[in-house]
Amino acid sequence: MAQRIPRLSATRNHFMFRRISVAILSFSVLLAAAGCAESPTAANNDTLNLAWNAQPPTLDPMMTTSVVTRDIMRNVFEGLITINSQNEIQPMLASDFSANETFTEFTFTIRDGVLFHDGTSMTIEDVLASMNRWMTTTSNGKQYFGGAVLTTPDDSTLVITTPAPLFTGLDLLADTSQIAAIQPKSIIDAASVTGVEDYIGTGPYEFIKWQTDAWVHLQKFDDYENVGFAADGLAGDKNAPINEIYFRFVADPSTRLAGLQTGEYDGANAIPFDSAEALASDPSIDSYVNDNGFNAAIFNKQQGLFADPAMRHAVYAGLNLLDIQTAAFSNEDFFSMNGALMTEEQTPWYSDESLDEYNPNDQEAAKEMLDAAGYAGEEVRILTSREYDDHYNGAVVLQEQLTDLGVNATLNVVDWATVLQNRTDPAAYEIFITGFSPVAVPNSLVFLSATWPGWTDDAGISAALGAINASTSTADAEKAAADLQKAYFDYLPIIKYGNKKTITAVRADVTGYDFQTGDIFWNATR
């Protein structure tokens, strides 16, 4: 649950942060004259104007792992199950769910009386079509549910039978990175290779319009059917007290901040870290900070220089990750140095296995390793974007450090949507920069997948992921998680810099806002 940071006296030299469940609340402008009538920015009780730092590549959550798409469209789309603030699995469009003792059979009873935004009732045929699409389209679906059989014993029951035990099966189905969104079968049937053409879900807000490069407009769905228990993280009732939400795309952080301070926007995400103290002293604004996963440099392992693991280990050996983190987040109020795949709070998944290999920071050893690996001056293109300041600022220092090692490193700075497009082309880069939100289970870490950009393909990682899913006890899971982390450091698919935080700020009259793996607006009001 998001907690407000206490305001401080302007005479304080620093400010203290509580741990809170962050909100990536965002809001901005870019009003074209043609869109002004439909796109109000004046504050009123019926509209939230949210300034967002990046644009979505698509609004179909099954076609991307972009957090922009995730955070906007989970107001529109829902899955059978979800997670609460403690990462416990809760019902959403399913009224009941279960797994058998061997974790090979997952059964869901769908709720009665749920309407889609087009006014039609959700049926078992819609659920079956949606889940089939999720399993054949998304990274988690293809990797872990390949070969699964879906059956419908009656008009209200879906059974998913997997060919092998899947200990994390329910967690994967509740994962928020690519929601297993239930949509009308007619929409699924009409989908092309680029995604669905109509965004019709069951959520508290319905999609109205996407004005490219400007905003996405959502409107309260008057016939939304609540689950009937208190809101808790991503679970529970979604009351939608605000009628309209505009997600406005404003890449420049100073513009987002200025709009928030003048009241043009009701909130802003990705607040510059050097503005934190000033905002904490502003009585008209509430600021929030929280752990927000980690940033990383993703190696292109399909072709080119870093298809060779010796090259990956060589450059990693020479990096000073503390300097990269400091450049990205200003000071240690906003980051921590830890190379583990999961956080210490995430039992049984956290492990300290192989952490002695994290952040070696040995430039002489790195130069020797580069020579031994046969580096001959090949260009290392680093793909990044200014739309995420922390990504860009860290990338600048990464390039400088690689150059100091004798590596011919260059920055390719583009808009975020282009990063998401170009990272799928193995001929377009050697490294790209991105961030990863917290996940409930290590199997949801997309950079461990052979089908996700960067293309991890390692027998040790695959075996450890398989062992996690074959677990039958906490002890089994702990051992498998440790094995996974050892395999990760042996293979080195990415350079994890360390853990990070983020700052979100909202106008003080906005209440009911919350956060869990992204911002939650469906109970926000003023």
Side-chain angles (χ1 to χ4, degrees), residues 104-122:
T104 56
E105 188 173 281
F106 305 91
T107 302
F108 304 88
T109 303
I110 68 169
R111 287 167 50 198
D112 292 328
V114 175
L115 294 179
F116 288 113
H117 298 149
D118 63 0
T120 61
S121 295
M122 180 183 71

Side-chain angles (χ1 to χ4, degrees), residues 283-298:
S284 68
I285 295 171
D286 289 340
S287 299
Y288 300 85
V289 65
N290 191 35
D291 298 328
N292 194 39
F294 59 88
N295 285 355
I298 314 304

Side-chain angles (χ1 to χ4, degrees), residues 72-388:
I72 293 175
M73 297 308 286
R74 67 185 183 186
N75 294 280
V76 174
F77 293 123
E78 296 177 313
L80 294 174
I81 52 179
T82 189
I83 53 175
N84 65 14
S85 61
Q86 303 303 309
N87 285 322
E88 297 166 333
I89 300 170
Q90 300 290 309
M92 182 50 66
L93 294 179
S95 59
D96 192 21
F97 61 92
S98 63
N100 66 359
E101 291 184 357
T102 58
F103 299 101
T104 56
E105 188 173 281
F106 305 91
T107 302
F108 304 88
T109 303
I110 68 169
R111 287 167 50 198
D112 292 328
V114 175
L115 294 179
F116 288 113
H117 298 149
D118 63 0
T120 61
S121 295
M122 180 183 71
T123 68
I124 194 66
E125 287 79 15
D126 301 313
V127 173
L128 180 62
S130 298
M131 296 309 298
N132 266 317
R133 180 172 185 253
W134 181 83
M135 290 181 183
T136 56
T137 303
T138 67
S139 296
N140 279 347
K142 289 187 289 188
Q143 183 169 0
Y144 297 112
F145 288 86
V149 175
L150 281 66
T151 55
T152 54
D154 55 52
D155 288 344
S156 62
T157 305
L158 173 73
V159 179
I160 301 173
T161 305
T162 57
L166 199 55
F167 183 69
T168 60
L170 289 174
D171 299 279
L172 293 165
L173 290 165
D175 184 73
T176 63
S177 59
Q178 284 185 291
I179 184 173
I182 305 303
Q183 302 167 75
K185 182 178 183 298
S186 58
I187 300 297
I188 300 295
D189 290 345
S192 68
V193 293
T194 60
V196 297
E197 297 183 3
D198 295 300
Y199 309 116
I200 296 174
T202 60
Y205 285 92
E206 58 182 310
F207 171 79
I208 300 299
K209 186 175 181 179
W210 179 8
Q211 184 69 39
T212 306
D213 298 328
W215 39 261
V216 168
H217 177 199
L218 307 181
Q219 181 175 286
K220 177 178 180 177
F221 179 45
D222 289 331
D223 293 324
Y224 180 73
E225 196 69 33
N226 262 319
V227 294
F229 58 90
D232 180 13
L234 296 172
D237 289 346
K238 306 172 183 178
N239 294 310
I242 294 291
N243 288 331
E244 315 280 340
I245 298 180
Y246 283 87
F247 291 84
R248 302 184 180 280
F249 307 125
V250 182
D252 180 58
S254 61
T255 304
R256 293 196 303 277
L257 181 58
L260 175 67
Q261 292 173 318
T262 63
E264 186 173 12
Y265 308 118
D266 300 303
N269 81 319
I271 295 295
F273 295 104
D274 56 7
S275 300
E277 186 169 355
L279 280 184
S281 301
D282 188 337
S284 68
I285 295 171
D286 289 340
S287 299
Y288 300 85
V289 65
N290 191 35
D291 298 328
N292 194 39
F294 59 88
N295 285 355
I298 314 304
F299 289 117
N300 174 0
K301 301 171 291 297
Q302 187 172 111
Q303 67 180 54
L305 194 68
F306 295 122
D308 180 357
M311 286 291 183
R312 300 199 296 271
H313 282 276
V315 298
Y316 182 67
L319 298 180
N320 183 332
L321 301 182
L322 176 60
D323 284 355
I324 294 175
Q325 286 279 79
T326 302
F329 303 107
S330 298
N331 63 68
E332 292 188 32
D333 286 330
F334 303 109
F335 71 85
S336 61
M337 300 300 294
N338 193 313
L341 292 173
M342 307 292 281
T343 66
E344 293 179 78
E345 296 79 13
Q346 292 177 301
T347 55
W349 306 117
Y350 178 79
S351 174
D352 59 6
E353 173 66 41
S354 300
L355 287 186
D356 57 339
E357 299 180 35
Y358 169 65
N359 194 24
N361 191 18
D362 188 338
Q363 288 72 38
E364 292 308 312
K367 292 175 182 178
E368 292 176 4
M369 292 168 69
L370 283 167
D371 287 342
Y375 179 65
E378 296 93 334
E379 184 180 17
V380 172
R381 296 163 295 170
I382 303 171
L383 180 64
T384 190
S385 172
R386 285 184 179 270
E387 290 175 41
Y388 290 90

Side-chain angles (χ1 to χ4, degrees), residues 449-489:
S449 169
T451 62
W452 194 76
W455 304 285
T456 292
D457 185 10
D458 177 64
I461 288 175
S462 296
L465 290 171
I468 288 174
N469 280 327
S471 298
T472 58
S473 68
T474 299
D476 288 347
E478 288 175 343
K479 181 183 183 305
D483 290 344
L484 175 63
Q485 193 154 287
K486 183 180 186 305
Y488 159 81
F489 275 103

